[in-house]
Amino acid sequence: TQFINAFVERKHLSEVAVMRIALPMTEGIPPLVDWPDDLCAAIGNHIYMIKGGFYYTGEDYMPLDEPAIAEAARDMVKKGLKTVAITSIFAPIRQDFEERAAAIIKSIAPEVTITMSNQVGSLNLIERENAAIINASLLRLSQHAIDSYRTSLAALDIRGRLYVTQNDGTLMSASMAEQHPVMTCSAGPTNSMRGAGFLSGLKEAVVIDVGGTTTDVGFLLHGFPRETIDANDIGGVRTNFSMPDILSIGLGGGSIVDEASGESVGPQSVGYRILEKARIFGGDTLTATDIAVAAGQCQIGDETAVSEVNQAVIDAALHEIHKKIETAIDRMKTSATPVPAILVGGGHILVSRSLKGVAELHRPEHA
């Protein structure tokens, strides 16, 4: 969350030297061509186009221009740049051009941190290059964040090794996460799905994670989140690394309910201010959590504060809540066959009845 928020908000990003090794090919579509203007300004416009490349067969069409790389490295030193993103054409097939470029840059500017595109993306050039640049822009923040985790663990005398969840649900060491923060930027919903599978013991199921503002719906396959096959958009930039296939809808415990009819629930939400805004906590806003309490689904806060809510409003709101979740499940399913579902998250109290398209609904302990 730290990393994806920083990129979306354009905060705490490092300036990046962007090196593409592909000339004379790809000249017509330079790096950062599809980036929002404010994001380009945040990371700078330091682009170095280098001769060298090979076809998808691995056969060279142009040798690597090493003197140009050395000249670019000296220019980076003059500009005070500390992070570099290196991308060569078809790098997942052959990594040697990127590795050689990194070695040359390190020999001239040993203090810089380098991201090579073959480590963070798949074949497509633009999306892979974008992923490498995003990663490079987050390196300074990732080092600060991981160091903070280490400091906290040491202060608590927790001596276990530190791991960070990757987007696909597997783990990476803390040192790897420092170098590849872009590989962890969707780990929030991924952790929810892995946790749901762990708590329920199910390996194949739809996971419904109801939070304060949104509900995330995804599928577990063999115990891991199903991955999306589409290109991903992060902060307005296309990338193509593995990400969980998640559908987010504007429904959560803080969702604002239409007091007149109950037929509208969300997407507006009081969010983290629910403890001061919701009626059961002394506020004046009717939220989805108020509806759950008024319906007798849970005991939270001052139940008398919602005792006068019209039953028709309660019924309509509950119908809308369940309908939204059922529609999300239907959009994520690949067949009409009912599937098991696992309900997790602080807002799981909103669901009080069976759901269409769900074979059995699980609410594991500690959900």
Side-chain angles (χ1 to χ4, degrees), residues 270 273-287 289-290 293 300-306:
V270 298
R273 300 178 67 191
I274 190 169
L275 291 177
E276 59 185 83
K277 289 291 186 180
R279 287 196 186 177
I280 54 172
F281 297 122
D284 58 1
T285 304
L286 186 64
T287 68
T289 301
D290 291 316
V293 172
I300 305 173
D302 180 9
E303 297 174 41
T304 62
V306 290

Side-chain angles (χ1 to χ4, degrees), residues 169-240:
T170 59
L171 300 180
M172 64 165 66
S173 67
S175 59
M176 285 291 289
E178 279 183 302
Q179 300 169 41
H180 303 104
V182 77
M183 305 300 289
T184 75
C185 63
S186 280
T190 296
N191 278 336
S192 294
M193 296 188 68
R194 292 282 281 145
F198 174 77
L199 292 176
S200 66
L202 296 177
K203 301 291 186 184
E204 315 276 335
V206 60
V207 177
I208 308 158
D209 177 16
V210 189
T213 300
T214 62
T215 293
D216 295 330
V217 179
F219 265 85
L220 281 176
L221 296 176
H222 311 296
F224 287 86
R226 183 176 73 194
E227 293 182 22
T228 180
I229 59 173
D230 297 327
N232 308 293
D233 186 294
I234 298 179
V237 177
R238 265 173 81 90
T239 65
N240 66 346

Side-chain angles (χ1 to χ4, degrees), residues 5 7 57 60-61 84 89 93 112 120 125 148 158 197-199 207 237 279 288 291 293 301 305 342 358-359 366:
N5 287 352
F7 196 76
T57 59
D60 285 8
Y61 64 74
V84 185
I89 199 165
I93 296 173
V112 302
V120 296
L125 176 69
S148 296
I158 296 174
F198 174 77
L199 292 176
V207 177
V237 177
R279 287 196 186 177
I291 294 295
V293 172
I342 312 166
V358 170
H366 310 301

Side-chain angles (χ1 to χ4, degrees), residues 246-259:
I246 300 290
L247 175 63
S248 294
I249 59 173
L251 174 68
S255 293
I256 298 173
V257 179
D258 178 9
E259 298 187 25

